[in-house]
């Protein structure tokens, strides 16, 4: 039990480590691909920007800068008229919005990039993104900034604050969004303002592009995980199955020893009895003892034959010697001899009428099959056994069911009772003697006749075994 748990825990632990390692590897590959993709498109774009500068002597923002320039000049003029150095919050917001709008609307770089991509055969939709890092109005005469973009002003504050505390400054650069590729940073001082902004492009399907590129490694990773998990499950199941079989075998050996010992010890005692002078003169006693020895020898022989036959079946497919029999008479005969043998005291109700129907079957095996079911019905019964045997024809099959009022079989055991050596848990205590072979025999014989056998049962109520054989 301990060993089994340790193996299970070790297996689960290794699988978790494997999955964690795969996740780390895939994350690394993803990051690498992402960086490569960024680099590739950044290079493309920079190439395009150079081309634009060479062909048109512009960086694509000339119109925007011109508009922002005249707006800044206007605001500065208005401030001069008002004789003020500051702007109201609303004015600042208006100015900043104006700059943002002008940059986004009046830039020519995106359109050029689009055409450039097309000419290079890159069929990708992208949106451009401009982020202003810094905007300042500059009083041209006094050369001092009079207004800074709010964001920049607060960053300046943060920077001086941290500098004072001697800690490294926080990363001032805006965190790039996952689909975005930063292309170029533009910054300069002009007549009436200073402007610093970043231009980036955004592929909506960048994640998909990466996914496509790493699909093979991702697939292999997943496959290896699935493979290892399934291997583990199969190995573990096999281990459990082996353990179960070895337990069954141990039980079988114990039960068999027990079964063999009973007739053997009776024979030994009988032998000793015969040696006694008192008995030797009593003919009646001698006969009785001899009969007992004979009966026990037959039983012993039966047990040994059964074991031998089972091991023979394992090696070869056993041959049926089929004969045509009138099933009604044949069943009656089997039941009659059972009643006068091991089934004494059992009430057997026969509810079948096959009339003159003749069936091809192996009489010896068929008898063994019915006998095994009948003797189990008697053996596994704590009260007076009442057995009902029903029989009918359905869909060209002959169906025989044997119902008892015995101890019944739990749902779990029902799945296993036909297995070799299997005994329901209560059967392992020697209250009910047996080797766990009877039902195994029944199933083998039914299958050899190309039929099958099933069980339905309620613990405490009784069981019904149903044999179906094709006609
Ligand atoms: P054995 O009787 O030698 O143990 P079998 O193969 O005949 O082996 O039966 C397997 C197990 O199925 C038995 O140990 C018993 O627990 C259960 N079983 C079989 N027949 C019956 C029945 N009629 N009622 C209750 N339990 C049964």
């Amino acid at each position: 039990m301990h060993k089994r748990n340790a193996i299970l825990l070790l297996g689960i632990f290794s699988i978790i480590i494997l999955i964690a390692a795969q996740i780390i590897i895939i994350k690394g590959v993803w990051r690498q691909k992402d960086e490569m993709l960024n680099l590739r498109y950044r290079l493309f774009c920079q190439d395009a920007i150079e081309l634009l500068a060479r062909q048109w002597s512009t960086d694509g923002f000339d119109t925007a800068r011109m508009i922002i320039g005249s707006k800044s000049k206007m605001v500065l003029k208005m401030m001069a008229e008002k004789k003020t150095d500051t702007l109201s919050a609303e004015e600042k917001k208006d100015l900043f919005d104006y700059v943002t709008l002008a940059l986004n609307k009046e830039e020519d770089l995106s359109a050029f990039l689009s055409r450039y991509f097309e000419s290079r055969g890159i069929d990708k939709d992208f949106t451009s993104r401009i982020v202003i890092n810094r905007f300042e109005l500059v009083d041209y005469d006094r050369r001092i900034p009079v207004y800074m973009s709010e964001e920049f002003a607060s960053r300046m504050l943060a920077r001086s604050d941290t500098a004072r505390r001697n800690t490294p400054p926080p990363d001032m650069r805006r965190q790039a969004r996952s689909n975005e590729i930063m292309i170029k940073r533009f910054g300069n001082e002009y007549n009436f303002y200073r402007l610093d902004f970043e231009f980036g492009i955004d592929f909506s399907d960048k994640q998909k592009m990466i996914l496509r590129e790493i699909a093979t490694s991702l697939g292999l990773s997943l496959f290896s995980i699935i493979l290892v998990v399934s291997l583990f499950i199969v190995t573990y199941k096999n281990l459990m199955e082996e353990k179960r079989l070895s337990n069954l075998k141990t039980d079988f050996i114990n039960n068999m020893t027990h079964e063999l010992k009973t007739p053997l010890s009776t024979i030994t005692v009988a032998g000793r009895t015969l040696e006694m002078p008192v008995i030797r003169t009593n003919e009646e006693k001698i006969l009785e003892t001899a009969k007992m020895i004979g009966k026990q020898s037959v039983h012993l022989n039966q047990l040994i034959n059964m074991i031998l036959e089972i091991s023979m079946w394992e090696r070869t497919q056993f041959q049926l010697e089929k004969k045509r029999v009138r099933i009604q008479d044949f069943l009656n005969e089997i039941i009659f001899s059972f009643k006068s043998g091991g089934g004494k005291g059992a009430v057997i109700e026969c509810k079948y009428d096959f009339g003159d129907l003749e069936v091809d079957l192996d009489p010896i095996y068929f008898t063994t099959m019915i006998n095994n079911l009948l003797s189990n019905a008697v053996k596994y019964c704590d009260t007076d056994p009442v057995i009902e045997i029903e029989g009918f024809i359905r869909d060209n099959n002959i169906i025989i069911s044997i119902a008892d009022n015995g101890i019944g079989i739990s749902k779990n055991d029902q799945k296993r009772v036909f297995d070799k050596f299997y005994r329901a848990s209560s059967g392992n205590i020697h209250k009910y003697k047996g080797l766990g072979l009877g039902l195994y025999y029944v199933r083998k014989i039914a299958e050899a006749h190309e039929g099958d056998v099933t069980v339905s049962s309620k613990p405490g109520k009784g069981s019904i075994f149903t044999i179906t054989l094709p006609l």
Side-chain angles (χ1 to χ4, degrees), residues 376 379-380 404 408-409 417 422-424 434-439 463:
N376 275 353
K379 186 160 69 167
Y380 296 105
D404 62 48
I409 305 167
V417 281
Y422 190 83
R423 310 202 67 216
L435 299 176
L437 291 174
L439 289 184
S463 320

